[in-house]
Amino acid sequence: MREVFAGMPWWIKWVAVPVIALVVFGGLITSVVGFVIGLLFKILVFVALVSGLVFVVRKFVSSSSSRSDW
């Protein structure tokens, strides 16, 4: 592979090849990036909801245990 690119000008290696790769694999790259961002967002929402639930349960349990026992 190095022999193929050895005789080429610099702009072929650093401009044309990446542009062709983006054109060919652009849809795949965007779908993978979109999937990863969506997954991270869902994980963030899950962590926030679980943290909120833990906070509410601890607050409820501590307020109910502070009352005098029956």
Side-chain angles (χ1 to χ4, degrees):
M1 195 66 164
R2 286 187 188 195
E3 297 85 23
V4 173
F5 285 115
M8 301 282 177
W10 66 269
W11 60 271
I12 296 282
K13 291 187 263 189
W14 300 106
V15 176
V17 173
V19 166
I20 292 171
L22 282 176
V23 167
V24 171
F25 298 109
L28 177 68
I29 293 170
T30 10
S31 63
V32 167
V33 169
F35 174 75
V36 169
I37 290 174
L39 186 65
L40 289 175
F41 179 74
K42 288 178 182 178
I43 289 172
L44 183 65
V45 168
F46 175 75
V47 168
L49 289 173
V50 169
S51 301
L53 179 66
V54 167
F55 176 76
V56 167
V57 167
R58 280 187 178 176
K59 193 155 185 102
F60 178 74
V61 168
S62 69
S63 69
S64 67
S65 67
S66 65
R67 295 182 197 153
S68 60
D69 289 330
W70 303 46

